[in-house]
Amino acid sequence: MNILKEYLLKDKIYKKLLSGTLAFSLITSPVIASEDSSGSKLPIFIDDTEITEGVLPQLKDGRLFGPVRNISEELGAYVEYNEETKEVTLYKEDIKITMTINSNIALISSDELDIPIEKEFDSPMYVENGRTFIPLRFLAENFGYNVVWDESDGTVTLTEPKESEDKDDEKYNKIDFDVDKKDDRIEMVFDDLDESAAYELNFNEKESDFEIIIDSAKLKEQTLTFNDPLLKEIKTSQVERNEKDENKDVKNYASTIKVSLNYPVPEIKTKESDKKLAFTIPKEFEATIEEKEITEGLKFSSIRKSVQDGPIKIYELKLDSNSALETDLVLAQNRFAGLERLDNIAKRNKAIAAINGGFFWHAGHPIGLYAHNQRLYREPSDNRSAFFYSTDGEPSIERTTFNGGELFIKDKDISIEIDGINRNRERKDVIIYTSEHGNTTGTSTSHIRNHKEFVIDSNGTITHIKNGNSNIPSEGFVLSIHEEYINGNQDKINLLSTGVNTDLTWDLGDKNLDEIKFGLGGSPRIIENNKVEISSVLEGVSDNISKGRSPRTAIGITSDNDIIFTVVDGRQPGTSIGMTLEELGEFMKDRGAHDALNLDGGGSSMMWFDDKYQNSYSPNTPRSISNALIITDK
């Protein structure tokens, strides 16, 4: 009979305890149950082996409490603890016991029970110094052990009832089975095998499930479930076979172990030694799933990786610097404040392939540096890194510097310092608005405030003067000045009138705008000079970008000036959990990147070619984005 069922049936008529049991002694003995003994600690033995060394049980209020995890694991049970619900769950063979801290009710289920039952024990579980304690008698007897108290030397011994000998004429080995979950792997070990026992290892079509068949062996039938990123379930069963041995019918058994994983692994390693058979399932691995050349000079790789926390899917494009291809930066809807799906952007620009670009505001305005064809659309944020592609086709990743702009007033030998471009005008700001911003500046038109805007044509000549919301010429720009700057610099403002000629320049530190085909701000830099260094603090990157696992997009450069475009899926448990920036940097370095920059990630992380999205974007529909990096023919 099943141990649990037998115990439960006994318990229905359990009115009197034998004088040799621990519970009887604890209730009746004046020495042990006395007030002075409360809080004392007693060792516990299985046969002659102490199992509580370092974490002794505790005697409280006439009841002996044992440390749940230590004793349960010694009794062959698997222990899970849910911090959120404060639940402890014990598994042994087909027995499952669920209990809650500070409660004395347990929910018990078994293959032998039609429905789970509630069982009350003497005193509730409690936590002390990070350890969970439970009445020892309840814990031991539910797993089929007798509890014996020896008053003479103050010890407790757990004894397992002897199994009746199998009287059948059977030819098999009763084998032991153990699962050891380590940080980087899971080990399944079968012990006491016959030296001639053969085994098979077979994967199913899903490649995430496999079975092990061990011949001439008998393993108890059970189903074990696991709260583990990789290991989902192990189910054991056996098949009885009739064989002839010296013209006599005998029984033989084959044990089948079906293992369900949450995601596929590249291989299972096996090892045989000393009547043992061990299977190692790796938690950490990296495997190339697909590798192909999309077109000459552009290579695609799909990579499956796993870490302790779970699986990761990575997609990579590698652009050969010597090919007849180039990369470019394009805006959604061909405007500064637009939003558009990546596939539409790619098709509209006749791209061979594309990935999402930099960060952006909800309305579509890029965040950080955005420059294209020697024109500055948005100034860089201080110290943040950017990807540059020169007019000569040379890629680079550099930390940006912005020293503002200068509007030189010709024939007056004076200039006005510019604070930014195509962004909101703050107090005291002087801002330039170009046609990329839209048709108008969108600024206040109030005549009460002394704001001024000067419309300047493609020749640098002032054509109109307004208070706000000026029309922006397609090839010119608007100089928008806050009243606080005007009040402090009235002498300069008085020199600005229609017909006056000006010249606008920008100071990007070491970068010459005339030599930039495009520049795209990102952050943070993750590889610099072949060293993984996450510059989140230096670049002032928020925690929601720099911390934790997420879908990621990044761009890297090899020592040969090849460009690597990397997209990582995330937020998909059992499929891809995303990467930390450190993991992304190490991965791209291993793939040959000498420098690398993090771009917009999360729901924006996407890769497109061959007329379809290659990655599994999150959420389930493609996000409309502000800008994209595309690969085209030169």
Side-chain angles (χ1 to χ4, degrees):
M1 181 182 292
N2 174 274
I3 293 172
L4 173 63
K5 189 172 184 180
E6 184 177 7
Y7 167 68
L8 293 173
L9 290 174
K10 286 181 181 179
D11 195 64
K12 291 179 181 179
I13 58 173
Y14 203 102
K15 302 300 182 181
K16 183 171 64 175
L17 302 178
L18 298 176
S19 60
T21 64
L22 171 66
F24 180 86
S25 298
L26 292 180
I27 294 170
T28 61
S29 170
V31 177
I32 298 175
S34 67
E35 183 177 349
D36 292 340
S37 66
S38 179
S40 63
K41 299 181 178 181
L42 307 169
I44 298 177
F45 292 81
I46 294 182
D47 296 327
D48 296 327
T49 304
E50 183 179 349
I51 64 172
T52 51
E53 184 176 358
V55 186
L56 292 175
Q58 298 183 359
L59 185 62
K60 288 189 175 183
D61 301 325
R63 293 291 182 270
L64 187 64
F65 290 79
V68 175
R69 182 174 296 276
N70 297 62
I71 295 178
S72 297
E73 290 181 348
E74 288 290 345
L75 298 181
Y78 174 71
V79 183
E80 283 185 354
Y81 177 64
N82 188 315
E83 176 66 32
E84 184 176 345
T85 62
K86 305 299 182 184
E87 287 185 343
V88 177
T89 304
L90 310 179
Y91 302 88
K92 184 179 181 185
E93 299 176 352
D94 67 335
I95 303 171
K96 176 182 176 182
I97 304 174
T98 302
M99 302 164 290
T100 306
I101 301 299
N102 297 326
S103 170
N104 65 336
I105 301 295
L107 186 65
I108 305 175
S109 60
S110 166
D111 291 345
E112 299 292 330
L113 297 171
D114 295 330
I115 59 173
I117 66 168
E118 285 189 354
K119 181 68 178 176
E120 184 176 355
F121 45 96
D122 295 332
S123 300
M125 288 196 303
Y126 64 90
V127 177
E128 183 174 299
N129 296 326
R131 300 280 183 173
T132 304
F133 290 85
I134 189 172
L136 180 62
R137 174 178 170 268
F138 174 83
L139 184 64
E141 291 194 351
N142 269 285
F143 289 126
Y145 283 79
N146 294 325
V147 184
V148 179
W149 161 249
D150 188 338
E151 187 175 357
S152 62
D153 59 3
T155 61
V156 179
T157 301
L158 307 183
T159 62
E160 186 174 12
K162 294 183 179 180
E163 296 184 6
S164 60
E165 295 183 1
D166 199 330
K167 298 179 180 179
D168 293 335
D169 185 11
E170 297 177 327
K171 178 184 176 183
Y172 61 83
N173 291 320
K174 289 185 177 180
I175 61 177
D176 291 331
F177 167 53
D178 187 35
V179 179
D180 188 4
K181 297 195 301 178
K182 299 183 181 295
D183 289 341
D184 61 341
R185 66 192 185 278
I186 294 169
E187 292 183 349
M188 300 170 54
V189 180
F190 300 89
D191 207 350
D192 295 333
L193 287 173
D194 187 279
E195 293 181 356
S196 61
Y199 72 91
E200 297 177 20
L201 175 63
N202 303 310
F203 279 87
N204 68 358
E205 293 180 358
K206 292 168 55 179
E207 296 186 353
S208 59
D209 295 350
F210 64 92
E211 68 175 12
I212 303 164
I213 302 174
I214 304 176
D215 197 18
S216 300
K218 187 176 181 182
L219 192 63
K220 182 174 179 60
E221 295 187 359
Q222 58 184 323
T223 299
L224 303 175
T225 57
F226 298 87
N227 182 20
D228 184 84
L230 174 58
L231 183 57
K232 182 178 181 180
E233 182 183 87
I234 296 177
K235 187 173 185 177
T236 61
S237 60
Q238 58 192 33
V239 177
E240 181 179 319
R241 297 171 177 171
N242 292 318
E243 297 181 355
K244 293 286 186 180
D245 185 4
E246 297 179 355
N247 297 319
K248 182 181 178 182
D249 288 334
V250 295
K251 294 178 182 178
N252 191 15
Y253 289 88
S255 290
T256 300
I257 303 94
K258 293 184 177 181
V259 181
S260 295
L261 305 177
N262 289 312
Y263 53 91
V265 296
E267 65 174 339
I268 306 294
K269 294 182 178 179
T270 61
K271 184 179 180 181
E272 301 175 65
S273 63
D274 299 328
K275 296 186 179 182
K276 288 186 179 182
L277 178 59
F279 296 86
T280 300
I281 310 170
K283 278 189 172 182
E284 296 181 350
F285 61 82
E286 183 176 313
T288 299
I289 304 304
E290 182 183 5
E291 197 168 69
K292 67 179 181 180
E293 190 171 57
I294 300 172
T295 188
E296 187 175 355
L298 183 61
K299 182 179 177 181
F300 169 71
S301 298
S302 172
I303 298 135
R304 184 157 52 89
K305 184 179 174 68
S306 179
V307 295
Q308 293 180 20
D309 295 335
I312 305 169
K313 283 189 174 180
I314 309 153
Y315 309 84
E316 176 189 277
L317 291 169
K318 191 170 186 179
L319 177 60
D320 190 332
S321 60
N322 297 317
S323 72
L325 306 173
E326 64 179 354
T327 185
D328 203 356
L329 176 65
V330 292
L331 284 169
Q333 299 180 338
N334 281 336
R335 60 190 182 92
F336 192 66
L339 290 171
E340 190 176 5
R341 283 176 34 154
L342 178 63
D343 53 341
N344 294 334
I345 295 174
K347 292 173 184 178
R348 183 165 49 78
N349 289 276
K350 296 180 172 56
I352 298 169
I355 66 167
N356 67 288
F359 300 94
F360 57 93
W361 298 108
H362 294 297
H365 300 84
I367 298 174
L369 175 68
Y370 195 100
H372 193 261
N373 288 340
Q374 297 85 52
R375 285 171 63 90
L376 184 65
Y377 291 18
R378 175 64 63 87
E379 77 267 21
S381 303
D382 287 342
N383 289 323
R384 290 205 170 178
S385 299
F387 177 84
F388 292 96
Y389 195 73
S390 74
T391 52
D392 295 331
E394 294 291 321
S396 64
I397 295 173
E398 302 174 44
R399 199 157 286 116
T400 54
T401 300
F402 181 64
N403 299 316
E406 180 182 78
L407 185 71
F408 181 69
I409 305 173
K410 294 181 179 179
D411 302 326
K412 305 297 182 180
D413 198 28
I414 64 169
S415 61
I416 295 176
E417 294 181 353
I418 310 299
D419 296 302
I421 181 170
N422 293 328
R423 62 168 173 82
N424 289 338
R425 184 189 63 200
E426 306 293 342
R427 294 170 65 89
K428 299 183 180 180
D429 271 354
V430 179
I431 301 295
I432 294 293
Y433 291 101
T434 66
S435 57
E436 288 80 15
H437 177 76
N439 295 325
T440 66
T441 62
T443 52
S444 171
T445 58
S446 172
H447 292 276
I448 300 175
R449 308 297 295 271
N450 191 31
H451 306 313
K452 293 290 182 182
E453 291 189 341
F454 300 86
V455 181
I456 301 173
D457 65 17
S458 59
N459 296 317
T461 302
I462 299 176
T463 60
H464 299 83
I465 301 175
K466 299 186 68 175
N467 291 103
N469 199 29
S470 302
N471 292 325
I472 305 173
S474 59
E475 299 297 328
F477 57 90
V478 173
L479 174 71
S480 182
I481 307 177
H482 192 277
E483 68 172 347
E484 289 194 22
Y485 180 91
I486 292 174
N487 294 339
N489 297 274
Q490 195 64 57
D491 54 338
K492 290 184 180 182
I493 302 305
N494 292 337
L495 298 176
L496 298 177
S497 59
T498 56
V500 170
N501 294 316
T502 65
D503 185 30
L504 175 64
T505 58
W506 296 102
D507 186 350
L508 297 176
D510 295 335
K511 300 301 292 184
N512 184 345
L513 190 60
D514 292 336
E515 297 175 354
I516 298 174
K517 178 180 179 181
F518 73 80
L520 176 64
S523 209
R525 190 172 187 165
I526 56 178
I527 305 177
E528 185 170 2
N529 295 326
N530 206 37
K531 185 177 181 181
V532 176
E533 287 188 346
I534 313 302
S535 57
S536 298
V537 176
L538 177 63
E539 300 188 22
V541 181
S542 61
D543 286 350
N544 67 314
I545 295 173
S546 63
K547 303 292 185 182
R549 297 187 175 280
S550 292
R552 302 281 185 184
T553 299
I555 190 166
I557 305 169
T558 72
S559 57
D560 296 327
N561 277 344
D562 295 340
I563 303 176
I564 298 175
F565 305 83
T566 303
V567 171
V568 180
D569 283 344
R571 300 173 184 165
Q572 301 169 41
T575 301
S576 186
I577 59 174
M579 272 187 168
T580 66
L581 288 178
E582 289 79 4
E583 288 173 339
L584 181 59
E586 292 291 349
F587 173 80
M588 294 187 71
K589 179 183 175 183
D590 290 342
R591 301 291 295 180
H594 190 270
D595 290 280
L597 174 67
N598 181 59
L599 298 176
D600 191 14
S604 298
S605 289
M606 292 174 285
M607 177 180 288
W608 179 95
F609 66 82
D610 282 350
D611 203 29
K612 65 181 180 181
Y613 288 95
Q614 299 297 317
N615 69 307
S616 300
Y617 37 76
S618 173
N620 296 327
T621 55
R623 172 184 288 181
S624 293
I625 56 176
S626 164
N627 56 86
L629 289 162
I630 63 173
I631 299 170
T632 62
D633 293 315
K634 289 183 179 177

